[in-house]
Amino acid sequence: MSRLVYLDGKLVPKDQAVVSVFDHGFLYGDGVFEGIRCYSGVIFKLKEHIERLYASANSIMMKIPMTPEEMEKAHVDTVAANGLKDAYIRTIVSRGKGDLGLDPRKCPVPTVVIIADSITLFPGAMYDQGVKMITSAVRRTAVDAHNAQVKSLNYLNSIQAKIAAIQAGVAESLMLNAEGYVAEGVGENFFIVKDNVLITPPRHAGILTGITRQTIMDIAGEDGYKVSETMITLHDVYSADEAFMCGTAAEIMPVVEVDLRTIGAGVPGPITKKLMGRFHEVAKTIGTRVIYNA
Ligand code: PMP
């Protein structure tokens, strides 16, 4: 069955899901997006993702042409129409079709796209072995330049950091903020574990406060671990007992080496492994259930 893509209110076959080259999302990266997962027919934290999508749009003064409730239904319908129980969903709202100038007033109607498909960021074996990272020379953008909290269609500094990782022959890059403190991965948040405490950079480190990050903080808290949102340096990373990155697409990925320094025992740590198991248990229980037609 050909995939059906939601495009401006209609479900259309994948190869007919096309957007104008005059769309400012294409011309200028002017727009916002979300990456969402569906586990066993439950769209994980869909309401939280939609809330973040509308917050991102509001920040760039773009009015999404439907209500959050309509947006939620469009997601459920798109997953159901494709008969998917497990899926990766990509939601894009771009400024819409305009002319060859920056002025967003020339784009009367934002374009809304919802794609339900699958994603594999890393081969399965990497989750058992853990991955190596390097620190990218490209920093996160300053919050007063391009705030990572706005999940915009501009991911160029992340892409440059990804290229640096590929060239170094490692799985992913760790990105610092302008002050040199650890911020996050290219599309993942970052945690270290030291003396049984989970430590992750705070919002003011200039990160996207991820939905997976929050879920891990909640699970860890329920399991009796202390969680601290604290600025960390590369020295803290190099001397951590465990490290992992997390995000909707990556889920929880153990990190066993950073900048050629072995982290802890050089294998996925016990707390990381426990959290990976717990995350998969809870992920299919929190969210919006898809109703499939018989
Ligand atoms: N940081 C960045 C820069 C991201 O793009 C993402 C997800 N795409 C994350 C962190 C993780 O956020 P979430 O857990 O909400 O997917």
Side-chain angles (χ1 to χ4, degrees):
M1 183 180 86
S2 166
R3 285 257 179 276
L4 292 171
V5 173
Y6 179 97
L7 174 62
D8 294 333
K10 292 194 196 73
L11 284 164
V12 298
K14 183 179 172 170
D15 47 1
Q16 288 167 34
V18 290
V19 175
S20 167
V21 293
F22 290 95
D23 193 303
H24 281 205
F26 180 71
L27 286 174
Y28 299 115
D30 184 359
V32 296
F33 78 102
E34 279 297 318
I36 311 169
R37 274 200 191 252
C38 181
Y39 293 105
S40 305
V42 176
I43 307 181
F44 179 60
K45 293 200 168 176
L46 178 58
K47 283 188 198 309
E48 286 85 340
H49 280 282
I50 288 176
E51 199 178 306
R52 186 168 71 183
L53 180 76
Y54 279 74
S56 292
N58 182 53
S59 196
I60 65 164
M61 294 191 84
M62 183 174 69
K63 186 151 176 15
I64 300 179
M66 56 205 284
T67 64
E69 293 71 30
E70 288 164 346
M71 184 63 87
E72 188 176 356
K73 184 172 181 305
H75 280 73
V76 169
D77 291 349
T78 306
V79 174
N82 285 289
L84 294 165
K85 295 277 188 279
D86 293 293
Y88 176 81
I89 306 162
R90 172 59 54 89
T91 310
I92 304 119
V93 184
S94 70
R95 188 76 66 177
K97 199 157 92 181
D99 67 11
L100 294 178
L102 286 179
D103 190 345
R105 290 173 303 184
K106 303 281 182 60
C107 312
V109 196
T111 304
V112 181
V113 175
I114 305 169
I115 305 166
D117 208 315
S118 60
I119 196 167
T120 308
L121 283 197
F122 304 107
M126 281 195 180
Y127 289 87
D128 301 327
Q129 288 151 19
V131 295
K132 298 177 180 178
M133 296 180 91
I134 54 152
T135 305
S136 152
V138 177
R139 304 266 175 117
R140 287 267 85 179
T141 39
V143 288
D144 57 350
H146 171 188
N147 193 334
Q149 290 282 102
V150 179
K151 209 164 156 46
S152 84
L153 296 181
N154 286 268
Y155 259 55
L156 260 192
N157 73 338
S158 283
I159 291 164
Q160 285 176 278
K162 183 78 195 179
I163 290 169
I166 294 165
Q167 286 180 332
V170 300
E172 202 61 286
S173 274
L174 185 60
M175 300 183 77
L176 307 180
N177 66 13
E179 288 77 45
Y181 288 95
V182 172
E184 57 184 339
V186 305
E188 306 87 13
N189 290 115
F190 188 75
F191 281 78
I192 58 172
V193 181
K194 185 74 181 172
D195 299 329
N196 292 320
V197 179
L198 273 97
I199 308 167
T200 192
R203 175 189 295 254
H204 64 263
I207 59 165
L208 177 75
T209 45
I211 288 168
T212 317
R213 173 184 178 274
Q214 185 59 51
T215 309
I216 290 166
M217 288 166 56
D218 295 344
I219 295 174
E222 282 162 25
D223 286 358
Y225 292 105
K226 191 164 169 255
V227 183
S228 166
E229 290 177 83
T230 311
M231 293 299 241
I232 56 174
T233 63
L234 282 176
H235 173 77
D236 298 322
V237 174
Y238 301 153
S239 47
D241 300 327
E242 303 181 28
F244 62 87
M245 50 185 179
C246 65
T248 299
E251 301 174 306
I252 300 179
M253 174 58 86
V255 175
V256 295
E257 186 189 289
V258 178
D259 297 334
L260 300 172
R261 277 80 163 177
T262 302
I263 307 300
V267 291
I271 296 178
T272 306
K273 287 211 290 209
K274 191 168 162 197
L275 289 170
M276 288 167 83
R278 288 274 284 128
F279 178 77
H280 285 287
E281 259 168 45
V282 304
K284 45 180 179 285
T285 66
I286 318 172
T288 304
R289 186 162 288 285
V290 178
I291 297 145
Y292 300 89
N293 297 325

